[in-house]
Amino acid sequence: EIVMTQSPATLSVSPGERATLSCRASQSVSSNLAWYQQKPGQAPRLLIYGASTRATGIPARFSGSGSGTEFTLTISSLQSDDFAVYYCQQYNDWPPSFGQGTKLEIK
Amino acid sequence: EVQLVESGGGLVKPGGSLRLSCAASGFPFSTYSMNWVRQAPGKGLEWVSSISSRSSYIFYADSVQGRFTISRDNAKNSLYLQMNSLRAEDTAVYYCAGSQLVPVDWFDPWGQGTLVTVSS
């Protein structure tokens, strides 16, 4: 099974600033990487698939990059609605696997 | 509006059984593969099981293989998860989620989840 490792576990950023979240795969997943946002008490929401393609309705301030084993989710100018937990997920190999999450909190 | 609504969660004793349901609307359910993903309290996401659009292909995580059974009824736009021999470690919120492919793909859309608690 491919192990996904996210860093940092918690990221403190001020509104309006940029946030950079990292995700590393234990072996190459090509560009078969998705990012999700989850707010307390809510289901995850798909943000990015194919490592860099925004899902329908996702604002342009969210961007994804990377391939192989190293991936990044960047939120260019944080809004209050963006503070949540973010998960990466690989879908290159079975079984699909998630990172442990990065909690983005207000500084 | 795209909607997935889970039901059937609750409190069950270890060794017991439970059947979860997921009702879909607002998208072509019969053309989507469907999945169950769970989240233990305060923990991350764990894929549980997948079923292809016509039920031709079914996959399970090792942790539930032989105990859980996924099924679907396209005529009723519904997905199911029969859970037997439940253990304390099965305690989680169970989400149904759609995907385009099995056995691996990204997950979208998602339901709001139903809580399963396994405790004596």
Side-chain angles (χ1 to χ4, degrees), chain B residues 37-60:
Chain B
V37 177
R38 69 184 179 184
Q39 186 171 35
K43 302 297 184 182
L45 300 166
E46 179 190 15
W47 169 80
V48 173
S49 182
S50 299
I51 186 169
S52 61
S53 60
R54 297 183 180 184
S55 306
S56 301
Y57 302 99
I58 287 175
F59 302 87
Y60 298 101

Side-chain angles (χ1 to χ4, degrees), chain A residues 1 94-97, chain B residues 35-38 45-51 58-70 81 87 90 94 103:
Chain A
E1 175 178 336
W94 185 87
S97 50
Chain B
N35 311 269
W36 290 99
V37 177
R38 69 184 179 184
L45 300 166
E46 179 190 15
W47 169 80
V48 173
S49 182
S50 299
I51 186 169
I58 287 175
F59 302 87
Y60 298 101
D62 288 346
S63 57
V64 307
Q65 178 76 49
R67 301 187 298 122
F68 289 12
T69 301
I70 191 172
L81 187 67
R87 306 166 179 167
D90 296 318
Y94 285 73

Side-chain angles (χ1 to χ4, degrees), chain A residues 6-7 20-24 33-37 45-52 55 63-65 71-74 86-89 91 102, chain B residues 106-107:
Chain A
Q6 293 185 239
S7 61
T20 302
L21 289 67
S22 296
C23 174
R24 174 177 292 178
L33 191 284
W35 289 95
Y36 303 87
Q37 177 194 66
R45 177 177 70 147
L46 177 69
L47 298 175
I48 301 283
Y49 61 91
S52 61
S63 63
S65 63
F71 300 89
T72 300
L73 175 69
T74 302
Y86 292 82
Y87 294 95
C88 61
Q89 177 232 333
Y91 53 95
T102 290
Chain B
W106 67 84
F107 302 115

Side-chain angles (χ1 to χ4, degrees), chain B residues 8-108:
Chain B
L11 175 63
V12 61
K13 290 181 169 55
S17 298
L18 213 53
R19 189 192 195 211
L20 306 184
S21 299
C22 172
S25 60
F27 69 101
F29 177 80
S30 64
T31 68
Y32 273 63
S33 296
M34 294 299 297
N35 311 269
W36 290 99
V37 177
R38 69 184 179 184
Q39 186 171 35
K43 302 297 184 182
L45 300 166
E46 179 190 15
W47 169 80
V48 173
S49 182
S50 299
I51 186 169
S52 61
S53 60
R54 297 183 180 184
S55 306
S56 301
Y57 302 99
I58 287 175
F59 302 87
Y60 298 101
D62 288 346
S63 57
V64 307
Q65 178 76 49
R67 301 187 298 122
F68 289 12
T69 301
I70 191 172
S71 62
R72 65 189 295 163
D73 185 338
N74 287 345
K76 295 183 178 180
N77 282 356
S78 293
L79 175 72
Y80 307 100
L81 187 67
Q82 177 67 43
M83 304 186 295
N84 299 331
S85 304
L86 282 161
R87 306 166 179 167
E89 54 265 35
D90 296 318
T91 294
V93 174
Y94 285 73
Y95 297 100
C96 63
S99 63
Q100 294 296 313
L101 300 172
V102 290
V104 282
D105 202 1
W106 67 84
F107 302 115
D108 184 57

